[in-house]
Amino acid sequence: MRVFVNRKVRKLFVQMTLCMGAAVLCAVLSAPFCVMVMGGAALAFCYRYFRQQDRQMEDAVAQIRAFIAGDRNARIACDEEGELYRLFHEINSLAAILNAQAQKEGEAGVFLKNTISDISHQLKTPLAALNIYNGIMQTEAQTNGLTAIQEFAGLSEQELDRIETLVQNLLKITKFDAGTMVIERQQEDLAEIMAEVEKHFAYRAKQEGKRIVLEGSASRSFFCDRSWIVEALDNLVKNALDHTESGDCIRMIQVQSPSAVNITVKDNGSGIHPEDLHHIFKRFYRSRYSQDRQGIGLGLSLVKAVAEAHGGTISVDSRLGEGTTFVLLFPAVEKM
């Protein structure tokens, strides 16, 4: 029988057999005290065996929990034979397979990040050259009254700007993924940060007949990387401007408590379709309901990466035809 493959089971079986044999002999000899002694011995053998089994199971559970917690070298001791040790061996094999798969996926991820980063870097030089050539064509067309060429050169400039934005965002996101992007925090004035973002879009908002309104107290201390917070808010405000009409309003609201810093970017534009709300932070996600054909689907993904790098979160609430609200929530961290 396979159950007797295990040495400890065989030992227990022999001990129980001897105890039973001795108890029968004592009963024949009319020695009740000896029968009681043999019964106690049998119970003691059983207790010791099952106590050992319980310890083995506890050790196995501890190793499994350690593996789940991140210790990739955690393994269950299985240096004996038997069905239980066979189970332990299969668990160890599964852990080894998971480790190999995780390593393979990690290597693939690193390769993909490096590839995207390399391609993005290589695209920067020809993009700069194309922008120069396009500028020359626009100047020549304007000088010589070539309206058709000037028009198409303008359209070409827009597409070049889109490609440049894509390249820059790809570089930033791959740095976040690779863990090479350094967040250099210092104490900043949140009101100044929001005013800086408002200035970035003041001319565009005026041209499009829209308003950007800042709300909150005059000065709020915020321990953060200023450049990255500005980058995140720039993306949110740009997104709001892309989805609002003339006469609409974009509000940037700051609320700070002892435990958290809350930054809200709210508009009364077209809103986001309910089907898209759970996907808008995915890279390159493009809604089939959106009328925007200029976006590249990286801005919100970058905002999410910046928020998480600061230990914060981003959430969205939107209703079609009523507008969209993005909320950045950061823990209030004092200067270290």
Side-chain angles (χ1 to χ4, degrees), residues 101-135:
Q101 185 176 357
Q103 182 179 359
K104 186 176 180 180
E105 290 179 354
E107 291 173 353
V110 170
F111 174 77
L112 179 61
K113 292 170 189 174
N114 291 339
T115 301
I116 293 175
S117 181
D118 290 342
I119 293 173
S120 299
H121 276 293
Q122 292 176 26
L123 282 173
K124 291 173 72 176
T125 300
L127 272 174
L130 285 171
N131 275 314
I132 293 173
Y133 300 152
N134 198 71

Side-chain angles (χ1 to χ4, degrees), residues 77-78 166 177 189 194 218 233-235 327:
C78 53
L166 170 62
D177 287 345
D189 189 318
M194 295 174 66
L233 293 177
D234 275 351
N235 275 283
V327 178

